[in-house]
Structures are given as C-alpha cells and as structure tokens.
Amino acid sequence: MPKLWTETVEAHRRAVRDATLDATAALVAEHGLAAVTMSRIAEETGIGRATLYKYFADVNAILMAWHERQVMSHLHHLAAIRNQAGDPGQQLEDVLEAFALISHEDHGTELTALLHRGPHVARAQQHLQEFVQNLLAEGARAGVLRSDVAPSELASYCLHALTAASSLPSKAAVQRLVSVTLAGLRPPLH
Amino acid sequence: MPKLWTETVEAHRRAVRDATLDATAALVAEHGLAAVTMSRIAEETGIGRATLYKYFADVNAILMAWHERQVMSHLHHLAAIRNQAGDPGQQLEDVLEAFALISHEDHGTELTALLHRGPHVARAQQHLQEFVQNLLAEGARAGVLRSDVAPSELASYCLHALTAASSLPSKAAVQRLVSVTLAGLRPPLH
C-alpha cells in the first residue's frame, strides 16, 4: 500500500479513537458511569456499534484508555512546564505547583477509584516519581535544595504531601500547600 | 439483676468479643482473607458457631470490628505520646513520628483497602486531623511553628506527607521523612 494511504488510515483510526474517548468522558460526566452503554457511545461518536467494538471491548476499556490519555497529557504538561522555567529551583516550584493543581481538580470520585486500578497508573506514578527525583537532584547539586536526604525519598515526600491538594477548598490554599511543601525541601540551617 | 451479675456478663461479652477479633486477625494473617470462615473462627476462639453469630453477622463484620479496635488503639497511643512529651514542639515531633511509624507498618495490602472502606475510618481520620490541628495551633502560639498558614491546612499537609512512610524501606528513612515534614512547619525566615 502506498505510504500516504497507510498514513491516512492511521490518522483516521486515531481520530475515531479520540472522538470515542471524548464522547465517553462527556457522557459519563453528564449521566454518571452506570447510565453509559456502548450503544450510547457509538451514537454520540457518530459511528456504528460494530465499528466501536472493533476499537474497544467494553465501556471500562474506553474509560481506561481515556484516563491513560489524560495521565499522559498531565505528564507532558509537567514536562513542558519544566522546560519553560529557568533555574532548577524555579523548575521544581513550577512543576510542583502544576502537579498540586492537577490533584486539586482531580477530586476523589467513584470514577477516580475505578480508573486508578489501571496498570497505566502505576507506570505513570513511577515516571512522575523519577521526573521529580531528577529535579530534586539537580536542585541539590545547584545548592538550592537539601542534599542531606536522598532525592528518591524527597520525591516521595513531596508527591504525597501535594495530594492533600485534592481536599483543599481553593487555589490559594493549594499555593500555600506548595510553599509549605517546598519549605521542607530547602537546605537545613546549621 | 444485681449489679455484680450485669458487670460479670458485660465483662464476659467483652472477653468473647476480644478473643474473636484476635483469633480472626491471626487466622487472616496466617491463611489469607479468602481462607477464613465463620466456622474456622468459632473453632479457633473456642466458642460455638451459633454463639459467634450472636456477636457478628459475618467475617467482614469481624474484620471491621478488629480494624476499628486497631485504629482506636493507634489514636490512644498517639494521645499518650502527646501527654508524655514536654513543650508543644516536642509533642508534635513525637506524635508525627509515631504516626509515620504506624503508616510504615501498615503496608497497603488487599486487606487494608477493604478495611479502609469502613465508616469508622472516616471518623478516625477526622479525629486525627483535629488532634494534629490542635498541636499545630499550640505550636504556632508558642512561636515554634509557622502561623502564616491555618493549622487545618498544615494538618492536611503533614498527614498526607507522612503517609509516604508506608512505602519507605526502613525506620531510618521514616525518621528522615518526619524531619523533612517538620522543616515545612517551621516559621519561615524573613
């Protein structure tokens, strides 16, 4: 098959897949998880039910794929934020604030509990842990962050501390949480 | 009924209840959740199966009661530790370290996930939040802790940060986590 044809088919498949994920997320947000069926999703996406089943086995598989796309987009967002910031201290501050805001918006719902059982979540957490760990190591080398505790332990500390953002009432409270968490990362006074 | 009789009956009931909880916890620890039945628990406790059913409806109810007793004993332990320590700063440090060690020992197992759905857990978390919040308010008044962020927000921060202890490899790592978390609570430098 000519290359253009393959590329077009591939682009079409991605578009159908993306449209399915968007439609499913919108339906679940509007009607709740229990009310959403494969027929309803096919109708909303504007594809046949048989076609939908060629892409996904069930609603659960679509939700997992949707969540994986969300998680990947969060990770890309955090990487972009790091690349925009200047020195290691500023990079860490901006990344931790962005992570806390994601946690703040991602309230612990029934859906969250379901989605977080997916295998992609463990992979993403591992990735996030390493990403923050590298920022902490750079900050320690630059002398702006503490170097008396291993970056891996500091990464666990700040990722756990910032999940408190999910139950905070406002963005201002999230920013205070970030500044308190960062205070724990500064070099101790001697 | 004479008072002595009522008291004796009450003491007997508590003893049977406690023995049932102990036996169930031991059986689950040894054989796993799926292998434990009401008959097995009755046999191990040394009471009749019919008697056991007068106390508890099923294995799940026994496990919930066992976990509630565990959680209450942790809260009492933390209160005792606060009462032993001197000034507010020391009280907070000792309580947070004890909490982190409890989290460290309470690894996230299948059983933990089940038990944490019980309504007693939400109550205990609320109690713990208020308990730590009061210590933080006292520390702020004494000038040893920061007063620029509300004690309720600081309590969320440190309880979340310290749950990182559940995945740390050693008690030394837990102690470093406590000291990093405490550093976030000190008055900021001007």
Side-chain angles (χ1 to χ4, degrees):
Chain A
M1 258 184 275
K3 188 154 177 278
L4 182 64
W5 176 257
T6 332
E7 275 173 9
T8 316
V9 168
E10 197 39 57
H12 171 73
R13 284 201 186 121
R14 259 202 313 274
V16 172
R17 200 183 132 89
D18 275 343
T20 308
L21 303 187
D22 293 337
T24 307
L27 283 171
V28 169
E30 199 182 344
H31 306 288
L33 185 52
V36 177
T37 61
M38 289 295 268
S39 306
R40 191 72 197 274
I41 292 166
E43 195 185 306
E44 196 76 14
T45 312
I47 57 174
R49 214 163 143 274
T51 308
L52 178 58
Y53 278 105
K54 282 188 195 146
Y55 285 81
F56 297 104
D58 52 29
V59 177
N60 195 46
I62 304 179
L63 286 171
M64 286 297 170
W66 171 79
H67 189 245
E68 183 160 12
R69 196 184 63 175
Q70 288 282 99
V71 167
M72 289 312 292
S73 120
H74 290 155
L75 293 176
H76 287 140
H77 175 59
L78 295 178
I81 279 179
R82 180 201 54 198
N83 295 340
Q84 275 162 27
D87 57 286
Q90 193 60 50
Q91 287 184 349
L92 184 77
E93 195 169 330
D94 292 358
V95 164
L96 293 190
E97 182 172 326
F99 172 73
L101 286 171
I102 292 169
S103 302
H104 178 57
E105 278 147 29
D106 177 36
H107 303 294
T109 60
E110 178 206 18
L111 188 58
T112 317
L114 168 81
L115 294 169
H116 280 242
R117 285 206 293 270
H120 63 284
V121 172
R123 283 197 303 272
Q125 272 168 349
Q126 181 61 28
H127 179 94
L128 186 61
Q129 166 85 20
E130 282 163 18
F131 177 73
V132 171
Q133 200 171 312
N134 289 338
L135 287 174
L136 287 160
E138 281 171 41
R141 276 194 295 272
V144 292
L145 298 176
R146 63 194 308 160
S147 57
D148 59 333
V149 176
S152 62
E153 289 181 17
L154 292 177
S156 281
Y157 152 76
C158 56
L159 291 174
H160 279 84
L162 294 174
T163 55
S166 70
S167 56
L168 288 176
S170 68
K171 287 196 178 181
V174 172
Q175 265 140 9
R176 289 190 292 271
L177 174 66
V178 173
S179 97
V180 168
T181 305
L182 281 165
L185 298 170
R186 306 247 185 268
L189 302 166
H190 293 292
Chain B
M1 253 185 276
K3 187 150 174 288
L4 181 63
W5 175 255
T6 333
E7 275 173 9
T8 315
V9 168
E10 198 38 59
H12 171 72
R13 284 200 184 122
R14 261 203 311 276
V16 171
R17 201 182 131 88
D18 275 343
T20 308
L21 302 187
D22 294 338
T24 307
L27 283 171
V28 169
E30 199 182 344
H31 306 287
L33 186 52
V36 176
T37 60
M38 289 294 270
S39 306
R40 191 74 196 274
I41 291 166
E43 195 185 305
E44 196 75 17
T45 312
I47 58 175
R49 217 165 142 269
T51 309
L52 178 58
Y53 276 106
K54 281 187 196 148
Y55 284 83
F56 297 104
D58 51 29
V59 176
N60 195 46
I62 304 178
L63 285 171
M64 286 296 168
W66 170 77
H67 189 245
E68 183 161 12
R69 196 184 62 175
Q70 287 282 99
V71 167
M72 290 310 293
S73 118
H74 289 154
L75 292 176
H76 287 141
H77 176 58
L78 295 178
I81 279 179
R82 179 199 54 197
N83 295 339
Q84 275 163 27
D87 58 286
Q90 193 58 51
Q91 287 183 350
L92 184 76
E93 196 169 328
D94 291 357
V95 164
L96 293 190
E97 182 173 326
F99 172 73
L101 286 170
I102 292 169
S103 301
H104 179 58
E105 278 149 27
D106 177 36
H107 303 294
T109 59
E110 178 205 22
L111 187 58
T112 318
L114 168 81
L115 295 169
H116 280 243
R117 283 206 295 271
H120 63 284
V121 171
R123 283 197 303 273
Q125 271 167 349
Q126 181 62 27
H127 178 94
L128 186 60
Q129 166 84 21
E130 284 164 18
F131 177 72
V132 171
Q133 198 170 312
N134 289 336
L135 286 174
L136 287 159
E138 280 171 41
R141 275 195 296 274
V144 292
L145 298 176
R146 64 195 306 158
S147 57
D148 59 334
V149 175
S152 62
E153 290 180 17
L154 292 177
S156 281
Y157 152 76
C158 56
L159 291 174
H160 279 84
L162 294 174
T163 55
S166 69
S167 55
L168 288 176
S170 67
K171 286 199 178 177
V174 173
Q175 264 138 10
R176 288 190 292 272
L177 174 67
V178 172
S179 97
V180 168
T181 305
L182 282 165
L185 298 171
R186 307 248 185 266
L189 301 167
H190 294 293

